[in-house]
Amino acid sequence: MSLRALITGISGQDGSYLAELLLEKGYDVLGMMRRQSSPQLGNLQEVKDRDGFNLASGDLTDATSLRSIISKYKPHEIYNLAAMSFVATSWEQPVLTQDVNFIGFINILEAVRSQASPHQIRVYQASTSEMFGNVPPPQKETDAMVPHSPYGVSKLAAHRMAKVYRDSYDMFISCGILFNHESPRRGIEFVTRKIAHGAVLIKYGKAKHLHLGNLDSKRDWGHAKDYVRAMWLMLQQDEPDDFVIGTGESHSVGEFVATAFKILGIGFWGNYVKTDERYLRPVDIKELRADASKAYQVLGWKPEISFNKLVLDMVQAEIMLLTGG
């Protein structure tokens, strides 16, 4: 009998890569999506017609739909990847961000707890490096967490609740404290995709400038393909735990821009980039850089895709989208 996995946020970057990984490992995969008049299935082209893959309508804020899906499908593993995940938007919609990221996760935990054998269901919660705020790098699992955005607060609340349910009800809940991870499937509103897209437009004469926020912010950027592998590994352990996942290297936004422009053979990038106050955060995080030594030792996980290869993949994908070849 195949293992069954439920993935919330299936249409996003991480959900789509995770679905591919699990299908390759012989899982049956059910992806949960909010009901929409025009479902966004672009990231699911590789899996939507595969045997063992199905979609279900559900919403983290609808406890009834979650309980129904889990009761009917009886997953062995649940990966909660659905979230209000764009940090900038969390200031504009702070209440909705809490409802989805925090209350939505509690709804999952309660739905699992209501099952006949809740201890047999393993739950992965997508935590985030944004929970650390400006705690000095490198950041590890035991460091203080002082988030600086509604998004970070909502994720920290869910992260803490995971431990409460793990300790109180002996549930298997592991949290991946993932640092920034990108890919060609990243949403256009995220800075890395915006840089790759904008640089290609400039290269092909479709734009003159690229408007960005703080160019000095440093992030630990890895490839989403590597990070979904870490998610799966967490649920294969004998005991649940929390793990920081990252490369251990940090690069500034300006470095990301410079790398993309260099790949495209464009001249000095500073001639094309303009700082735009619209993209500045009320409070910015200066540097996030992971200490993932625990994951290296316990999970046997290490990133395989370098920063330069990540930027190259994103730039090449934008060229394909623009030119069709």
Side-chain angles (χ1 to χ4, degrees):
M1 182 184 68
S2 298
L3 288 172
R4 295 182 299 277
L6 170 64
I7 303 175
T8 70
I10 187 68
S11 62
Q13 166 188 262
D14 292 4
S16 61
Y17 281 122
L18 179 61
E20 291 176 19
L21 175 69
L22 296 181
L23 288 168
E24 289 169 3
K25 292 184 177 296
Y27 281 67
D28 288 331
V29 175
L30 182 69
M32 193 183 87
M33 294 180 64
R34 286 178 298 169
R35 186 177 297 279
Q36 298 173 316
S37 57
S38 300
Q40 303 298 311
L41 301 178
N43 285 338
L44 299 176
Q45 294 305 309
E46 297 293 325
V47 300
K48 64 183 182 66
D49 297 321
R50 294 265 299 271
D51 290 340
F53 180 77
N54 291 285
L55 292 171
S57 295
D59 194 310
L60 290 185
T61 61
D62 181 359
T64 302
S65 72
L66 286 171
R67 188 167 299 188
S68 175
I69 289 171
I70 293 172
S71 297
K72 180 180 178 180
Y73 190 67
K74 296 180 172 55
H76 301 98
E77 298 174 1
I78 298 175
Y79 296 86
N80 182 35
L81 309 184
M84 293 283 290
S85 59
F86 187 45
V87 177
T89 303
S90 72
W91 273 286
E92 300 170 6
Q93 298 177 301
V95 176
L96 180 59
T97 298
Q98 304 304 315
D99 285 346
V100 173
N101 296 354
F102 178 45
I103 303 302
F105 180 54
I106 294 177
N107 287 337
I108 289 178
L109 297 180
E110 282 296 296
V112 170
R113 199 165 71 87
S114 72
Q115 303 306 302
S117 302
H119 307 101
Q120 296 180 12
I121 302 175
R122 298 189 169 200
V123 179
Y124 170 82
Q125 167 63 7
S127 295
T128 172
S129 58
E130 288 282 331
M131 299 186 307
F132 289 112
N134 275 314
V135 170
Q139 296 93 359
K140 59 183 182 297
E141 294 84 358
T142 55
D143 283 349
M145 294 180 179
V146 190
H148 288 309
S149 69
Y151 168 74
V153 169
S154 70
K155 282 293 192 175
L156 179 56
H159 184 75
R160 299 297 191 213
M161 193 61 75
K163 180 171 173 53
V164 169
Y165 272 69
R166 190 163 63 201
D167 294 345
S168 301
Y169 302 115
D170 194 30
M171 293 170 64
F172 194 111
I173 309 164
S174 287
C175 298
I177 308 171
L178 272 55
F179 282 59
N180 295 64
H181 49 290
E182 317 298 322
S183 77
R185 298 180 188 176
R186 192 50 126 167
I188 193 65
E189 69 274 18
F190 288 85
V191 67
T192 52
R193 175 77 188 282
K194 187 177 181 182
I195 291 169
H197 178 71
V200 169
L201 290 181
I202 290 170
K203 172 67 176 180
Y204 284 83
K206 303 293 184 181
K208 293 183 178 180
H209 297 103
L210 175 59
H211 295 262
L212 298 171
N214 185 357
L215 299 175
D216 297 323
S217 293
K218 292 184 176 181
R219 296 293 183 267
D220 185 333
W221 276 305
H223 200 296
K225 281 186 176 180
D226 282 336
Y227 288 48
V228 298
R229 182 163 43 86
M231 298 175 190
W232 175 76
L233 285 168
M234 289 180 211
L235 296 197
Q236 311 316 307
Q237 305 305 304
D238 292 334
E239 299 292 336
D241 206 345
D242 304 332
F243 295 91
V244 159
I245 301 296
T247 70
E249 300 177 2
S250 63
H251 301 270
S252 69
V253 174
E255 286 180 78
F256 201 107
V257 177
T259 304
F261 275 54
K262 183 178 180 181
I263 289 169
L264 290 165
I266 306 175
F268 176 56
W269 62 271
N271 296 330
Y272 301 92
V273 175
K274 293 183 178 294
T275 301
D276 192 324
E277 291 187 358
R278 292 177 299 170
Y279 303 120
L280 296 175
R281 296 183 183 183
V283 180
D284 207 356
I285 295 174
K286 297 176 182 178
E287 181 178 5
L288 293 172
R289 175 164 43 88
D291 176 355
S293 54
K294 180 179 176 181
Y296 293 178
Q297 295 166 7
V298 177
L299 303 180
W301 176 89
K302 284 189 177 181
E304 297 176 353
I305 301 172
S306 69
F307 173 75
N308 287 340
K309 180 62 166 61
L310 165 66
V311 181
L312 177 62
D313 281 356
M314 296 186 71
V315 167
Q316 288 179 333
E318 293 300 327
I319 293 173
M320 291 283 288
L321 285 173
L322 184 64
T323 65

